[in-house]
Amino acid sequence: MTFRAPVRDLAFALRHVAGFERLADAFPEADADTVDAVLEAAGLFASEVLAPINRAGDLTGARLENGVVRTAPGFAEAYKAFAEGGWTSLAAAPEHGGQGLPKTLEIAVLEMVQAANMAFGLCPMLSLGAIEALAHHGSERQKRLYLPRLVSGEWTGTMNLTEPQAGSDLGALTTLATPDDDGGYTLSGQKIFITWGDHDVADNILHLVLARTPGAPAGVKGISLFLAPKVLVDDSGSLGAANAVRVGGLEHKLGIHGSPTCVMLYEGAKAELVGELGQGLAHMFTMMNAARLQVGAQGVAIAERAYQQALDFSLERTQGRSAWTGAYPSRLFDHPDIRKTLVLMKARIEAARGVCLSTAVAADLANHAATEAERAAARLREELLTPIAKAWSTDIGVEVASQGVQVHGGMGFIEETGAAQHYRDARITPIYEGANGIQAIDLVGRKLMLGEGQAIGDLMDDMRDTLEALEAAGGALGGLALRFQAALDGASAATAWLIERRARAMPDALAGATAYLRLLGDTVGGWMLAKGALAEPVGLRLALARVYAETVLATVPGQVAGVTAGAGDLEAVTPEALGAH
């Protein structure tokens, strides 16, 4: 099955759904011709270089040989071509060797990279997060020494948070950073689940590591951020001796086999402080928030890849008699149930794509809009949408990949077809970079009251503006408005209940958090498709919006009960009642 980069769909989403035109003043160089050229070139690279080695990455995987990680066949050559193509530098600042283009365009490019080869795409994704963290919190020396090499792709970056006893609870981490005699630190400890923690595709790896210093307060207030290179670097940028950091093992994973996920052992490794002591978690969140949006785009990407394979299979496989023509044998595509499944898969992809790109536009505006008022409003929108972009889009990725297996039938359960790989690869995305339950807690516990409720209020107002446009258009769009209005009313009711309960009964609010994120994501996804239908009110865009409205938006009013059920029944349930011994 071949991969076709969704260049046209991305261009449509940027221009007609996400509001990319709002970036014109801040990024005059990102005109239509430039955007089209970047998307076309990235799509070509993804289709011709990355997609062909995706299957080998899954079958062969990364391997640890004599303490050195060897990547899957073709990965090192592909990474060299990726770096030489300047793909890591798209949105980086020109003073560090970057092209200064919008982050939104970077997200669009990375979606194609991840769809073509998710295991490969994780490497530059982590480097981009390291660039973000050092650009915001690094010293001038660190920016001079490390950023140009990360931006060029000459070196790569990692994010070291998790420890065996400390998963999402970072306050429990124990890795120790002890001051040395040269103004630096030595790191001692173990980190697990470190994506691309070691490899053979670049000359050096810059590890960003959370650790605590001797005597630091317990919990998250005692955490600081440190940089430890795999190979030591002098003040001229030249490589020296190996640092005291090594790979303790490779994780054996359900999917993304081509991505080396490492146990990292720091055994007195030389390191330097990034930013301020005690502010490590805040500094790392700069990297994590960028990564969360990129993981949301991964959800879209793997859904796109699974959908394309399912569509191709449905056109090749014959089975039964066509309900429309009576022809026998009939293509799978000519069965209404299969066709509806494919249309809904496509609709969910376009909805999630719109959510992620809209979040990216808000992020660009938060940093580059002309006035402080515009930047503040955009920042509220970015913060509100980020947990939805990450969690809802990755749930969509798993659902669409599962539907892809279903369209294949028994052939989907057989590894040789490749459909199973997409499902296995997709399953990690709701877990890493903050599990989706944590995203829901963040949405309800913090994001709903951003700006004293202004963020969610502004979002609801913007969605109702689109509802009015649908109603004014009439016809098929007017019919779409009925479902969208009911969903908006349901979202408003659930939001009001949560705001009231979080003020005096937080267990009730948190018990409904995951259901609320799903409800709000479904509604915002419908908004994205409605904007697409308004821009192109005939043909596919209208069909996608209508099928989504009748299949997904129609369920939103019923989802309110799942949000507002409260925690009373949960509090009464004991482990023994659930079968624990």
Side-chain angles (χ1 to χ4, degrees), residues 236-290:
S236 71
S238 299
L239 298 179
N243 204 355
V245 53
R246 64 184 177 89
V247 181
L250 289 183
E251 309 287 4
H252 300 283
K253 310 186 296 291
L254 177 68
I256 54 171
H257 296 152
S259 170
T261 305
C262 303
V263 175
M264 301 302 299
L265 303 178
Y266 293 88
E267 301 168 321
K270 291 184 177 297
E272 51 192 275
L273 178 69
V274 177
E276 301 177 29
L277 282 172
Q279 295 298 310
L281 195 57
H283 296 340
M284 185 65 91
F285 260 104
T286 300
M287 189 176 187
M288 288 180 67
N289 281 334

Side-chain angles (χ1 to χ4, degrees), residues 59-92:
L59 294 174
T60 304
R63 61 195 187 281
L64 183 62
E65 295 180 349
N66 299 318
V68 178
V69 173
R70 303 297 182 190
T71 51
F75 273 50
E77 295 80 4
Y79 182 81
K80 181 179 179 182
F82 185 89
E84 290 176 348
W87 295 112
T88 315
S89 69
L90 274 180

